Amino acid sequence: MRIASVIGTVVATMKQEKLSGRKLLLVREVNTAGKASGEPFVAIDTVDAGKGDIVVVTEGSSARQTTFTDGLPIDAVIVAVIDSLEVEGKVTYRKQ
Amino acid sequence: MRIASVIGTVVATMKQEKLSGRKLLLVREVNTAGKASGEPFVAIDTVDAGKGDIVVVTEGSSARQTTFTDGLPIDAVIVAVIDSLEVEGKVTYRKQ
Amino acid sequence: MRIASVIGTVVATMKQEKLSGRKLLLVREVNTAGKASGEPFVAIDTVDAGKGDIVVVTEGSSARQTTFTDGLPIDAVIVAVIDSLEVEGKVTYRKQ
Amino acid sequence: MRIASVIGTVVATMKQEKLSGRKLLLVREVNTAGKASGEPFVAIDTVDAGKGDIVVVTEGSSARQTTFTDGLPIDAVIVAVIDSLEVEGKVTYRKQ
Amino acid sequence: MRIASVIGTVVATMKQEKLSGRKLLLVREVNTAGKASGEPFVAIDTVDAGKGDIVVVTEGSSARQTTFTDGLPIDAVIVAVIDSLEVEGKVTYRKQ
């Protein structure tokens, strides 16, 4: 799974009916310090993630393996909000 | 899911019979300002997207999770036309 | 799906028995003008594509969604031979 | 499968209920000498891997093909702890 | 499918029980001349490939579509040993 920060939202009126009522969040991959890198992409939230949160994103067919996303045409889902990251014994990120 | 702009169309007479009557659109990944980046690729439209639209593209097996694409040999589908993108409190793209 | 040109063939005597009699084509991603970019990869043909053709390649589990490739251990299939590509109102590639 | 080293841990209180009790490890791709390269990502452990271990990571839907991960919304799983790597007749990495 | 050369082996005592008795080969993507490029990765052999062989590697869920790999937590499998590659009418690689 990729580590990403929630940077914004996507508003879309015309969308697949299966996606109606689903919140589309903009996320961007981050490093272990929580700094953004790479291009933004879109993920569905399942854990009440908010802007600025560092989250775990599951991609591919596994993104459909939650009761909330079963059968949806989506390929990325937020499965956890990260409290802290520890790398080689040091805390590199802690949620504030 | 990736954010992409619809840049053109693909015309193909010889194709998998399951694809007959399906519109093949050329899309290209964009950043949060709607500016193109990366190589173009092909996606099937399910939401009446038009040229110039910024859209949400679902890839992989999840691209087959719509009534329109079920069982098709395709790996990218347009699932939403984006009205606006908001990043860190600012609108970075708005459909015109 | 990726746009690619057919650049050659792969000859292999020792192969998975499910692949016997299947033609393995070498393809390479191209831009909208039909110029090659990126590394070559191998795809199974289902639409009688020939060398020099610009084609649409479907990848992942969706590559198995044709009657010809159902259940095969392959992850890339040619699903269309492109006649022309149109980008922002201009024809950027036309098959000769 | 990718070769990666286990570099740390992810702590997350808010997560998909299917993930409760699952240990989320931070891993990073390595070369054949065991040196890190690329961005860190998150994987579920199934073989009691520890920090500093070089491991084999399976991704995509295949990550769900263990009794421990069946049906989980995860896309990366550690399936082996590497004792040694041999490249062209030479041992390039040995676990200490 | 990617073209890769077999460069070595992975020894791992602690591994998913479904992988016991399976040979884990180190492979690395090659160009059409058979020269290595990119990072090494791990694949399961199904066609008796040996070190130095140039092979075809199938990835993702399709890697499980052989009788030998059905249901295994693996995402890359060797499905063919390449005898020769022909690009634009010229043989660019021939097995020795």
Side-chain angles (χ1 to χ4, degrees):
Chain A
M1 290 73 82
R2 281 201 273 179
I3 308 169
S5 65
V6 179
I7 63 168
T9 52
V10 177
V11 177
T13 312
M14 284 168 61
K15 59 185 161 191
Q16 263 291 315
E17 57 180 27
K18 282 184 180 182
L19 295 182
S20 75
R22 309 292 169 148
K23 201 170 180 179
L24 299 169
L25 293 181
L26 270 174
V27 299
R28 196 168 168 192
E29 193 166 0
V30 296
N31 62 20
T32 52
K35 298 290 177 195
S37 64
E39 290 296 307
F41 60 100
V42 181
I44 296 276
D45 181 27
T46 69
V47 288
D48 211 19
K51 285 181 199 175
D53 282 346
I54 305 296
V55 297
V56 177
V57 179
T58 294
E59 294 174 273
S61 64
S62 295
R64 303 194 308 266
Q65 300 287 321
T66 78
T67 50
F68 190 73
T69 56
D70 184 36
L72 296 191
I74 58 109
D75 61 19
V77 66
I78 296 171
V79 294
V81 176
I82 295 175
D83 296 322
S84 63
L85 293 171
E86 188 188 302
V87 177
E88 286 156 17
K90 291 177 188 166
V91 172
T92 57
Y93 164 81
R94 191 181 303 275
K95 187 180 174 179
Q96 305 190 316
Chain B
M1 290 73 80
R2 281 201 274 179
I3 309 168
S5 66
V6 179
I7 64 168
T9 52
V10 177
V11 177
T13 312
M14 284 168 61
K15 60 184 161 190
Q16 263 290 315
E17 57 181 25
K18 283 185 180 181
L19 296 182
S20 75
R22 308 293 169 148
K23 202 170 180 180
L24 300 169
L25 293 181
L26 270 174
V27 300
R28 196 170 168 190
E29 194 166 359
V30 296
N31 63 20
T32 52
K35 297 291 177 193
S37 64
E39 289 296 308
F41 60 101
V42 181
I44 296 278
D45 181 27
T46 69
V47 288
D48 211 18
K51 287 180 198 176
D53 281 346
I54 304 296
V55 296
V56 177
V57 179
T58 293
E59 295 173 273
S61 63
S62 295
R64 303 194 308 267
Q65 300 286 321
T66 78
T67 51
F68 191 73
T69 56
D70 184 36
L72 295 191
I74 58 111
D75 60 20
V77 65
I78 297 171
V79 294
V81 175
I82 294 175
D83 296 323
S84 63
L85 293 171
E86 188 187 301
V87 177
E88 285 155 19
K90 290 177 187 166
V91 173
T92 57
Y93 164 80
R94 191 181 302 277
K95 186 180 174 179
Q96 304 191 315
Chain C
M1 291 73 79
R2 282 201 273 179
I3 309 169
S5 66
V6 179
I7 63 167
T9 52
V10 177
V11 177
T13 312
M14 282 168 62
K15 59 185 162 190
Q16 262 290 315
E17 58 182 23
K18 283 185 179 180
L19 295 182
S20 75
R22 309 293 169 148
K23 202 171 180 178
L24 300 169
L25 293 181
L26 269 174
V27 299
R28 197 169 168 191
E29 194 166 359
V30 296
N31 62 19
T32 52
K35 297 291 177 192
S37 64
E39 290 297 308
F41 59 101
V42 180
I44 296 277
D45 181 28
T46 69
V47 288
D48 211 17
K51 286 180 199 176
D53 281 347
I54 304 295
V55 297
V56 177
V57 178
T58 294
E59 294 174 273
S61 64
S62 295
R64 304 194 308 266
Q65 300 286 320
T66 77
T67 51
F68 190 72
T69 56
D70 184 36
L72 295 191
I74 58 113
D75 61 20
V77 66
I78 297 171
V79 295
V81 176
I82 295 175
D83 296 323
S84 63
L85 293 171
E86 189 188 301
V87 177
E88 285 155 19
K90 291 178 187 166
V91 173
T92 57
Y93 164 81
R94 191 181 301 277
K95 186 180 174 179
Q96 304 192 316
Chain D
M1 290 73 81
R2 282 202 272 179
I3 308 169
S5 66
V6 178
I7 63 168
T9 52
V10 177
V11 177
T13 312
M14 284 167 62
K15 59 185 161 188
Q16 262 292 314
E17 55 182 26
K18 283 185 180 182
L19 295 182
S20 74
R22 309 292 169 148
K23 202 170 180 179
L24 299 170
L25 294 181
L26 270 174
V27 299
R28 196 168 169 192
E29 194 166 0
V30 296
N31 62 21
T32 52
K35 297 291 176 194
S37 64
E39 290 296 308
F41 59 101
V42 181
I44 296 278
D45 180 27
T46 70
V47 289
D48 211 18
K51 286 180 198 175
D53 281 346
I54 304 295
V55 297
V56 177
V57 179
T58 294
E59 294 173 274
S61 63
S62 295
R64 303 194 309 265
Q65 300 288 320
T66 77
T67 50
F68 190 73
T69 56
D70 185 36
L72 296 191
I74 57 111
D75 61 18
V77 65
I78 297 172
V79 295
V81 175
I82 295 175
D83 296 322
S84 63
L85 293 172
E86 188 187 301
V87 177
E88 286 156 17
K90 290 177 188 166
V91 173
T92 57
Y93 164 80
R94 191 181 303 276
K95 186 180 174 180
Q96 303 189 316
Chain E
M1 289 74 79
R2 283 201 272 179
I3 308 169
S5 66
V6 179
I7 63 167
T9 52
V10 176
V11 177
T13 311
M14 282 167 62
K15 60 185 161 189
Q16 262 291 315
E17 57 182 24
K18 284 186 178 180
L19 294 183
S20 75
R22 309 291 170 150
K23 202 170 180 179
L24 300 169
L25 293 181
L26 270 174
V27 299
R28 197 169 168 190
E29 194 166 359
V30 296
N31 63 20
T32 53
K35 297 291 176 193
S37 64
E39 290 296 308
F41 59 102
V42 181
I44 296 278
D45 180 28
T46 69
V47 289
D48 211 17
K51 285 180 199 176
D53 281 347
I54 305 296
V55 297
V56 177
V57 179
T58 294
E59 295 174 272
S61 63
S62 295
R64 303 194 308 265
Q65 300 287 319
T66 77
T67 51
F68 190 73
T69 56
D70 184 36
L72 296 191
I74 58 112
D75 61 19
V77 65
I78 297 172
V79 294
V81 175
I82 295 176
D83 296 323
S84 63
L85 294 171
E86 189 188 301
V87 177
E88 286 156 18
K90 289 177 189 167
V91 173
T92 57
Y93 164 81
R94 191 181 302 277
K95 186 181 174 179
Q96 302 191 318

